[in-house]
Amino acid sequence: MSNSQTASIAASAAPAPVIAIDGPTASGKGTVAQAVANALRWQVLDSGALYRLTALAATRAAIGDDDLNGLAQAARNLDVRFENGAIWLDGGRVEETIRQEAVGNRASRIAALPAVREALLDRQRAFRCAPGLVADGRDMGTIVFPDAPLKIFLVAGAEARARRRAKQLSDKGISANLEDILRDMRERDARDTHRSVAPLVAAQDAITLDSSDWTAEETTRAILQLWSEIVA
Ligand code: DC
């Protein structure tokens, strides 16, 4: 076999590239990940949705927070389908329901359980396919895709994030108190950051971007610029 044949087989066997975008709640990861994926025509993985779906499935099945096996099984057996922004759980649409604060708070609690994280690992990795994947979450760059060629740690001040969350809720006609959001957000940050498994930390090779004063478009442009520098 010639060297160029070997090189081309090695190239085709290389895993699809991943842009990992990790960061705290309401840092704008979801919007930016989708925009980057659209620009590159790549797949997108909203890993937080999988934790939210597990929380919702567990609540519907009346599985309590202390039933570790039941929660891991709920994660492993999720019957879920993603399609153009729509999400189905057990055949019913849930993309609005999983965004509720109560679902997010339960997701944050059960995400601290190693058995639940383990149960969702292969499912997350299965999203990786050509031409590439933009994955957003807390541990995309550290645990799920440690070989991602570009890792972004997206941060924003708590007040800026609380204002964004309040606006998202009021756009949906849900009244929200800024102080309550800020308090919930700080609690969730503390839980996500201080848990013993897969805590929210920047990977050693991640680039930290502070989006407090940036629009989603500006953040998207910054990430696309970093990616084009890597490709070049
Ligand atoms: O990104 P989000 O707010 O939709 O995530 C909901 C919760 O899921 C979050 O509080 C922590 C958890 N999560 C996680 O532990 N690891 C991920 N990769 C994504 C989310």
Side-chain angles (χ1 to χ4, degrees):
M1 192 180 288
S2 73
N3 280 348
S4 69
Q5 276 172 316
T6 314
S8 95
I9 288 169
S12 64
V18 175
I19 298 179
I21 306 180
D22 290 305
T25 192
S27 57
K29 303 178 305 289
T31 311
V32 167
Q34 187 64 61
V36 171
N38 289 349
L40 296 171
R41 297 174 186 266
W42 287 9
Q43 293 294 319
V44 71
L45 164 63
D46 170 4
S47 63
L50 291 174
Y51 289 92
R52 287 170 181 267
L53 286 158
T54 303
L56 182 60
T59 301
R60 286 181 173 174
I63 299 169
D65 276 358
D66 49 0
D67 181 357
L68 303 189
N69 284 336
L71 291 168
Q73 214 167 352
R76 208 170 300 112
N77 297 339
L78 277 183
D79 174 9
V80 61
R81 190 155 61 88
F82 293 85
E83 208 176 285
N84 299 327
I87 305 177
W88 279 265
L89 176 65
D90 297 322
R93 294 277 293 266
V94 294
E95 64 273 10
E96 299 269 317
T97 315
I98 61 162
R99 296 298 153 202
Q100 290 168 2
E101 292 299 283
V103 179
N105 285 331
R106 185 153 200 221
S108 166
R109 288 202 304 278
I110 66 172
L113 305 172
V116 168
R117 305 200 71 85
E118 178 62 34
L120 290 176
L121 203 51
D122 286 346
R123 197 186 278 268
Q124 293 173 86
R125 289 184 175 148
F127 277 78
R128 184 175 199 165
C129 64
L133 175 71
V134 184
D136 96 69
R138 306 293 189 287
D139 59 344
M140 298 297 97
T142 49
I143 308 279
V144 183
F145 303 110
D147 61 336
L150 177 58
K151 299 177 186 177
I152 303 293
F153 196 67
L154 190 60
V155 299
E159 282 79 11
R161 291 186 286 125
R163 275 196 305 276
R164 283 179 196 163
R165 177 58 53 81
K167 178 162 184 326
Q168 279 171 354
L169 292 172
S170 82
D171 285 350
K172 287 187 196 152
I174 303 169
S175 71
N177 175 297
L178 197 61
E179 286 305 309
D180 291 347
I181 293 178
L182 196 55
R183 194 197 52 237
D184 271 10
M185 196 165 272
R186 287 193 165 125
E187 271 173 26
R188 184 132 37 121
D189 284 351
R191 201 164 36 227
D192 292 347
T193 307
H194 298 301
R195 68 186 177 209
S196 55
V197 278
L200 170 66
V201 288
Q204 271 191 344
D205 49 351
I207 297 169
T208 297
L209 297 181
D210 186 335
S211 73
S212 302
D213 299 320
W214 288 356
T215 62
E217 291 74 26
E218 287 169 323
T219 311
T220 302
R221 265 203 300 280
I223 295 174
L224 287 170
Q225 175 63 31
L226 288 166
W227 178 246
S228 68
E229 285 163 17
I230 287 176
V231 173

